Structure formats: C-alpha cells, structure tokens
Amino acid sequence: MRAVSFGVSGWTARFDDGFDETSVSSIAAALGQLWSRRHGGAAVAVGYDTRHDSQGYATLVGSILAAYGLTVRVSASACPSPALCCAVAADPACIGGVRVSGSDAPCEYGGISVCGSDGGSVSQRFAKAVDQLVGVAAPVGMDEFDTADLMGPYRACLNRVIKPPGTPHRTLKIVVDPMHGVGAQPLLPLLKELGCDVTLIHGEQREDFGGLHPEAAEPWVDDCEAAVVQGGADLGIVLDGDAMRSAVIDAQGTLVTPHKLIPVLLDHLVRRRHMSGRVVCTMASSAQIRLEAERLKLGFTAVPVGFDRIHDELLDGDVLLGCEEFGGACLPIHLPERDGMLVALLVVESLLRSGQSLAEAVSELEAQIGPMSYGRRDMRLDPAKLRTLSNALPGLNPGIVAGEQPRHVSHADGLKLEFFDDSWLMVRPSRREPTVRIYAEAHSVRRRDKLLNVAIDYVEGGYQQDLLR
C-alpha cells in the first residue's frame, strides 16, 4: 500500500497511483477503530460522488465500518458533500460522516474525507489519530449496512434557510452548470420554486466530468459564461464537483470572484435579512471582506488558511459567516461547513429582493468600500527548499517592501504584510504540497503585480530580504 497522509481535509490520490481498495480499506479500518472505541454502536453516514467507482468504494467503507458495531447508513445515490454533512448534523445519534469524493480535484483523483458530529471539520487531533492508524489498522471484517435518502432532507434543510420575497421584482433567467457533478438535482427544484427560469448545461453525471476540471473557477467556467451571454441570462451558477463551492457569472458573462461576491452576500444578510454576528475568514482572503464587515459594524476575525481553523471559531456561537480564500463559505445557522448551493441561492434571493443585477450590486458595493484587485501565484519547490523557506519566514520583518512600509507584519501563517492603503502581500508554504503560495491585493493591478513580483523575486533569489524592496 502506498503511504497515506490523512489530514483534516482527508486524503486524495490518483486512481492509478495509490487510491485503491487497500488504501481505502485501511482508512475505513482506522475510522472504525476510533469511532467504535469512543462511541460504540453510534451511527455513521457515508456519501459519495460520481467519480470512478465511488459508489463501490462507499460500499466498501460502509461494510468495514459496520463490522466495528457501528450503525452505518450509505447514501442511496451520489450526493453533494453538504447533503452528507446535513444528514450527520441532523441526527443526534450520528457521530460523523465519510465522504468518498475528490471534491474539485481532476477526475483522475479519488478522495476520502470525514466530517464530525456537527457536520463540520474534524479536529487536528482526530485527523492525526486516523493518520497514525492508517497502514497499521486492518479491517476486522465486513458487515451489512443500511441505505438512506440524503437528498430529500437536504433540500428541506436549504428550504428552511432561503426566504423567497413575497413579490419578486422580476423573474431571473439563470444558467446552471454542475460540471457533470452532483449539484443539479437539489439546486434546480429550489431555483424553480423561487420563480426562476432555469437552463441546465453539463447536467449529465459523468465520472470523467466531460473533460472539465470540476473546479468553479477560470478557465473551467468558460462554457457557463458563454451560455449566459448567448441565452441572454441574468446569471450563471457553476458548482464544483461535490457542490461545496460555487461560482457566479453576471449577465455580461463575467465571473464575479468570491472576493467580490462574499461582501455582496454580507450586505444582503445584514441590510435585508437583518442578521448579525462575527465574520471569520482566512488570512489569504480579500481585504474587501474585512472592509465590508467594518462598514456593516460586524466583528471580524482572520485565521490561518484551512477551514478547520474557521470551524474552531464557529464553536463560539457568535459567527454570522465563515469563508475561505477559494470562495467556500458557510452560514452556521445552516451548517458549519461550506455549501456552494446555499451561497448561490442566497445570491439569487438577494437579486430577487433588490431588483438589481449582479453587476449593479457589485458596483454599488465597490462605491462604498473601494475596488480591489486580487492575485495569487503558486511556485513549486523541492522539499528541501520549501523547508528552508519555512524556516526563513518567521525571522523576516522587512521595513520596506515594494517601496512601501508595512503597517503590520504577521507570521501566523507564513508571512503576511499589510500596508496603510489596505493592500497586502502574503507568502505561505503549503501544508500539503511542495508549493509556496504567494497572494497580493491592492487598489490597482499595477500595485498588486508589483507586490507579487517582489515576493517571487524573493523566493527565486534565495530568500534575501533586500529583494523585497
């Protein structure tokens, strides 16, 4: 068996290089040992996506977990990850869930991840315990499990959150693109209940995702952008492979990035739905989220990258919204985990109530907090160089960067430099890949690119502080 590294985000590997029955069985055995030891006889839910033999792997996981005396319920059909999370959270007897899903990874990859009893992230401690058992634990046998409908209850859960306007200003024409994944089945009926005119593309569930990389980002949203323009639609909604994240396209066929969309969503939640609470986002997220939270007089907390860090903040009970830099967002009143369909439905609800177009909503917001340009560059490094960089960053405290003096320097997650005009630069070695991620945001593309370039020069130049000037 190839070595498996299991973290809070689970484990992902290629089908032709490690993702096989032996590895999946060992992970299931590790989970079975831990859960049965701590919660003997408790319930566990198992869901799966449309990838190569995901249903078969889910059956394998369910059979192994059942042999440990757990009450196992495997989804009766391929389902979005948020549906599994909702099923776990809604059942007091359920102590966790297993997702057989590669999420937004290419079709050549499979994945196994776990949610806790509230449907949210498991702790670092739990993930470490699983990791230590994988490759050591062997299944004690296989037993029977039940199947369950997770889709119907999930739609009902979404219906409880979405509040249709009494008299909508207009009917929205929407193109929905689930990227051949599992998101169309629950989303389409809900949009139609809101009175929307819906066109579906890439609706057939396919294990190869029709050649698409099932990530709700450029360039994979191009087909939806074209369909919106050609069909004269008001909006496009793209869901990633397991519907944990979504992207939204405006009527001009332009992707509205999460850095702009999340502030629009916050405005709707506070001004029209009269909700309140703290906003929590990762340190690599847009400054526009913080600026909008401040404008709305909401508390704001930035945490290191990783949705488990956001989940830790949700446990305090005062959070309105949590979001990551990739656009995944959650509302704790619904679920302490990302749900791309909920985000898309709330955007639709906002436009129906306001009568605005999405472009108008973004423009209005930027008039309040100012436009920002966000960028990211990933640089692959060999492990030795990545370790050297990780060791160098904590001691870095530059006085001038790209010609400007930072107003704040943070080493909480790599290195983050914030400037007086709200622009910022972040250099963060990845926890899971031999990659350093460089982020920057500024009020102009020129300033953003200057920040990105000095950080790239710093990495390529052997970590010499003078290169940051």
Side-chain angles (χ1 to χ4, degrees):
M1 182 183 81
R2 184 181 175 185
V4 171
S5 178
F6 194 92
V8 290
S9 299
W11 168 71
T12 303
R14 288 181 63 96
F15 290 111
D16 61 359
D17 189 22
F19 195 94
D20 53 28
E21 288 191 7
T22 303
S23 296
V24 172
S25 295
S26 187
I27 293 173
L31 291 168
Q33 279 195 31
L34 287 172
W35 276 331
S36 62
R37 191 183 304 156
R38 301 175 183 181
H39 312 279
V44 175
V46 180
Y48 57 93
D49 64 12
T50 61
R51 290 166 190 265
H52 170 67
D53 205 21
S54 282
Q55 184 175 10
Y57 285 117
T59 297
L60 176 64
V61 170
S63 299
I64 292 171
L65 291 175
Y68 285 90
L70 298 164
T71 301
V72 181
R73 304 183 183 103
V74 177
S75 179
S77 62
C79 68
S81 287
L84 172 73
C85 296
C86 276
V88 172
D91 185 354
C94 204
I95 45 87
V98 182
R99 297 184 289 247
V100 181
S101 169
S103 188
D104 60 0
C107 66
E108 295 86 2
Y109 289 78
I112 302 285
S113 58
V114 182
C115 67
S117 60
D118 63 354
S121 300
V122 294
S123 66
Q124 291 275 359
R125 184 177 179 182
F126 182 86
K128 184 177 181 180
V130 175
D131 187 55
Q132 290 173 339
L133 283 172
V134 175
V136 177
V140 297
M142 301 178 75
D143 210 337
E144 295 182 354
F145 55 81
D146 297 323
T147 58
D149 169 30
L150 305 186
M151 299 293 270
Y154 174 58
R155 284 194 294 268
C157 192
L158 286 171
N159 258 327
R160 286 194 290 271
V161 179
I162 301 304
K163 297 180 179 180
T167 306
H169 289 269
R170 56 182 174 143
T171 298
L172 289 179
K173 190 174 181 180
I174 299 176
V175 176
V176 172
D177 181 2
M179 307 186 89
H180 298 294
V182 292
Q185 185 180 347
L187 182 60
L188 264 62
L190 293 170
L191 288 173
K192 290 176 181 177
E193 287 175 17
L194 288 170
C196 299
D197 178 3
V198 182
T199 299
L200 178 67
I201 66 171
H202 301 150
E204 177 190 2
Q205 293 185 0
R206 294 179 54 170
E207 67 174 38
D208 65 353
F209 301 106
L212 294 170
H213 180 154
E215 181 183 6
E218 297 284 10
W220 310 108
V221 299
D222 287 356
D223 287 354
C224 188
E225 291 172 340
V228 167
V229 174
Q230 292 168 7
D234 300 291
L235 197 68
I237 296 171
V238 185
L239 301 170
D240 71 3
D242 67 345
M244 290 190 81
R245 299 183 182 96
S246 58
V248 180
I249 315 296
D250 69 19
Q252 288 73 46
T254 302
L255 172 68
V256 178
T257 66
H259 319 297
K260 300 181 185 297
L261 189 66
I262 296 300
V264 169
L265 185 58
L266 276 175
D267 185 71
H268 169 63
L269 295 175
V270 174
R271 288 204 300 123
R272 298 190 189 91
R273 296 193 63 161
H274 310 295
M275 298 173 70
S276 63
R278 189 161 50 104
V279 177
V280 179
C281 70
T282 56
M283 294 175 67
S285 298
S286 172
Q288 289 187 299
I289 300 172
R290 173 182 59 81
L291 293 169
E292 176 64 359
E294 291 173 352
R295 186 180 78 85
L296 295 170
K297 296 180 171 54
L298 302 175
F300 177 82
T301 303
V303 298
V305 169
F307 210 82
D308 58 304
R309 271 70 177 265
I310 294 174
H311 180 263
D312 289 345
E313 293 290 331
L314 302 182
L315 298 178
D316 289 341
D318 63 340
V319 176
L320 168 62
L321 180 142
C323 64
E324 60 176 15
E325 70 278 10
F326 296 112
C330 78
L331 265 69
I333 62 166
H334 166 64
L335 188 69
E337 183 53 278
R338 292 151 290 188
D339 189 337
M341 280 176 282
L342 177 67
V343 170
L345 286 165
L346 286 169
V347 170
V348 170
E349 178 190 287
S350 168
L351 300 181
L352 288 173
R353 289 194 181 196
S354 69
Q356 292 178 307
S357 69
L358 183 55
E360 289 170 342
V362 171
S363 178
E364 179 182 281
L365 180 82
E366 291 190 334
Q368 298 281 347
I369 63 174
M372 298 285 279
S373 181
Y374 183 102
R376 186 184 109 185
R377 303 288 185 270
D378 289 353
M379 299 176 65
R380 293 189 70 84
L381 300 177
D382 68 56
K385 289 184 177 180
L386 191 65
R387 283 193 296 272
T388 301
L389 174 62
S390 298
N391 292 333
L393 291 178
L396 196 60
N397 192 23
I400 298 293
V401 177
E404 299 289 340
Q405 179 183 358
R407 67 174 174 84
H408 181 68
V409 179
S410 171
H411 298 97
D413 193 5
L415 174 71
K416 184 173 183 181
L417 308 170
E418 299 177 69
F419 301 90
F420 290 93
D421 63 351
D422 295 313
S423 63
W424 57 275
L425 170 67
M426 185 172 181
V427 180
R428 185 181 71 84
S430 172
R431 289 188 289 170
R432 300 178 62 191
E433 304 172 44
T435 302
V436 57
R437 307 196 193 282
I438 299 172
Y439 313 80
E441 188 175 33
H443 289 289
S444 71
V445 172
R446 182 178 179 181
R447 171 66 176 162
R448 179 203 70 189
D449 288 348
K450 185 175 182 180
L451 289 169
L452 289 170
N453 288 334
V454 297
I456 292 169
D457 290 344
Y458 169 75
V459 174
E460 291 180 339
Y463 322 134
Q464 299 177 41
Q465 182 167 319
D466 287 348
L467 293 173
L468 290 172
R469 292 178 179 274

